Amino acid sequence: MTKILLIDDDVELTDMLADYLKQENFTPTIAHDGEEGVDEALSDAYSMVILDVMMPKMGGTEVLKRVRQKSTVPVLMLTAKGDDTDRILGLELGADDYVPKPCTPRELTARIRAILRRVSPALPDSPEVIHVGLLEIYPENRHVTWDGTPVVLTSTEFNLLKVLARHAGQPVSKNDLSLMVLDRPMARFDRNIDVHMSSLRQKLPLLPGERSCIQTVYKHGYQLIRE
């Protein structure tokens, strides 16, 4: 059974979510404060972390920052409804996705399954290596190198880069990226893809002339340069 870590100080909410997750064949563990949550998240015992932004002592953004220093475990943020600042900050710090509170257990479970599908596809990926210039992507073990040097990416960043690499030299629309990477069409004012792409650009070395290998193609989306 897939182990899920819930980090939230709301006892009533986490108990309800844990009960629902058990019915959906997940194995939930609850941490009610940030420090305990960091320790648990870094134990390599969980397939995914559900993290609330608003917590006493250590907030969710600080928890995420500490986790991302040492781990690429998928993280789904719980944010206040309508609070774009928390959402964007969470994505910039390496969260894979977010769900606004209040949310239903069914919605949360659907989002969990979508992320887990992206991290561990039901069918094994092709063992072939994708080469684009100095970039090499190994889909089977989800490994990326640039000129032989490993590049550490979150699961969402890896999936974005893989899609762009398989369409290298051609623009891919934001909506297509959202469908292929986030398993849902892009909503109005949705900045998920833009924020993940910004983070991905920062992690990839620049091309000669201080150019990013990922170009924004006006009105068409994003394109990985084939050089």
Side-chain angles (χ1 to χ4, degrees):
M1 297 176 71
T2 304
K3 297 185 70 174
I4 304 292
L5 175 63
L6 292 165
I7 308 176
D8 194 325
D9 64 311
D10 188 330
V11 176
E12 184 177 351
L13 175 64
T14 51
D15 285 347
M16 178 190 68
L17 292 177
D19 287 342
Y20 189 87
L21 290 173
K22 289 175 185 176
Q23 296 174 26
E24 295 294 316
N25 295 318
F26 293 106
T27 302
T29 297
I30 300 172
H32 287 305
D33 66 74
E35 291 184 359
E36 179 188 1
V38 171
D39 292 340
E40 284 290 333
L42 294 178
S43 68
D44 292 328
Y46 302 95
S47 298
M48 191 169 171
V49 175
I50 312 300
L51 174 62
D52 185 32
V53 170
M54 298 298 293
M55 289 188 295
K57 296 183 181 178
M58 185 189 297
T61 52
E62 180 62 26
V63 171
L64 179 59
K65 189 184 302 183
R66 296 192 186 190
V67 169
R68 278 291 173 257
Q69 289 173 353
K70 298 181 179 180
S71 174
T72 58
V73 61
V75 175
L76 178 65
M77 298 285 285
L78 299 177
T79 65
K81 191 171 185 178
D83 194 334
D84 291 336
T85 301
D86 281 341
R87 295 177 187 178
I88 292 172
L89 179 57
L91 293 171
E92 289 175 340
L93 290 174
D96 291 86
D97 206 348
Y98 65 84
V99 173
K101 294 172 70 175
C103 64
T104 65
R106 185 176 181 181
E107 178 187 3
L108 183 64
T109 303
R111 215 52 91 77
I112 290 171
R113 293 193 190 281
I115 293 175
L116 291 177
R117 279 198 302 271
R118 303 198 301 260
V119 177
S120 304
L123 296 175
D125 218 326
S126 169
E128 67 178 301
V129 180
I130 304 172
H131 298 269
V132 182
L134 297 176
L135 180 69
E136 291 187 342
I137 301 174
Y138 300 80
E140 193 171 32
N141 59 8
R142 302 180 65 80
H143 182 63
V144 175
T145 64
W146 181 281
D147 198 18
T149 301
V151 181
V152 179
L153 303 176
T154 67
S155 61
T156 302
E157 290 164 357
F158 176 88
N159 290 333
L160 274 175
L161 183 60
K162 185 174 69 171
V163 171
L164 290 177
R166 284 183 167 157
H167 296 81
Q170 303 172 1
V172 184
S173 73
K174 294 180 185 180
N175 191 61
D176 284 345
L177 287 170
S178 186
L179 286 168
M180 288 186 277
V181 175
L182 301 179
D183 287 342
R184 65 174 185 271
M186 190 173 69
R188 191 180 183 187
F189 306 122
D190 189 344
R191 292 192 58 196
N192 274 22
I193 294 299
D194 293 324
V195 176
H196 285 304
M197 200 65 73
S198 175
S199 177
L200 180 57
R201 279 172 162 161
Q202 293 176 34
K203 293 182 179 182
L204 295 173
L206 295 175
L207 297 172
E210 299 297 299
R211 295 175 300 147
S212 170
C213 63
I214 299 176
Q215 289 185 335
T216 300
V217 183
Y218 183 62
K219 290 188 177 181
H220 289 281
Y222 292 100
Q223 172 181 313
L224 184 65
I225 300 174
R226 184 182 289 280
E227 285 195 1

